[in-house]
Amino acid sequence: MRDDIRSVEELAAVPEFGELYEIHVENNGEPLPHVFFGLDVTPAVVDSYLGKDPEAPDWRATLEFLERQLGRGIPDVTEVIVTSFLYQLPYKHEPGYGVVEHLGPLLSAKYRELRPSG
């Protein structure tokens, strides 16, 4: 199994992401890590941070999970997290931008590479 798919499945083991992941696979016929992170994980984290959805996954726990995954140094996993999570986070003028202040050191460093001015 590819490392990026394994990482997505580990995240899907978190109950709040399990249903999203099942729907994702059903709709796409297979796990597509970039699509799952871009369309499901990032919006869920931002919604949770903003308190929009009490059923949303815990944004802090999700950021901790992503920090650990990034720390593994696996290129496919890093690419998914950077491209389809960090790059999709809100910009300064958008609701939810404050979640950026809570990124762990590894996530924060990658985020600053993407958006040096925030």
Side-chain angles (χ1 to χ4, degrees):
M1 178 183 301
R2 292 183 359 216
D3 290 322
D4 57 343
I5 293 174
R6 183 175 299 113
S7 179
V8 169
E9 289 184 350
E10 288 173 13
L11 180 60
V14 175
E16 294 90 346
F17 280 111
E19 185 176 344
L20 285 175
Y21 180 70
E22 288 175 20
I23 292 168
H24 164 79
V25 172
E26 184 177 315
N27 289 340
N28 295 289
E30 65 181 320
L32 302 172
H34 284 283
V35 174
F36 183 63
F37 269 77
L39 296 180
D40 295 309
V41 176
T42 307
V45 167
V46 173
D47 286 351
S48 175
Y49 173 77
L50 291 171
K52 285 186 173 181
D53 181 2
E55 303 291 319
D58 180 314
W59 62 272
R60 286 182 178 94
T62 305
L63 292 181
E64 290 170 7
F65 172 84
L66 296 175
E67 181 78 12
R68 287 191 306 272
Q69 292 296 309
L70 197 58
R72 295 172 61 198
I74 300 171
D76 290 343
V77 174
T78 298
E79 180 184 336
V80 169
I81 293 171
V82 170
T83 305
S84 299
F85 178 74
L86 292 175
Y87 193 72
Q88 303 299 320
L89 288 174
Y91 283 85
K92 285 183 181 180
H93 63 282
E94 297 175 326
Y97 174 75
V99 75
V100 170
E101 297 173 15
H102 299 279
L103 298 175
L106 299 174
L107 289 168
S108 185
K110 290 291 185 185
Y111 182 81
R112 283 192 308 274
E113 288 176 22
L114 286 172
R115 298 187 200 167
S117 61

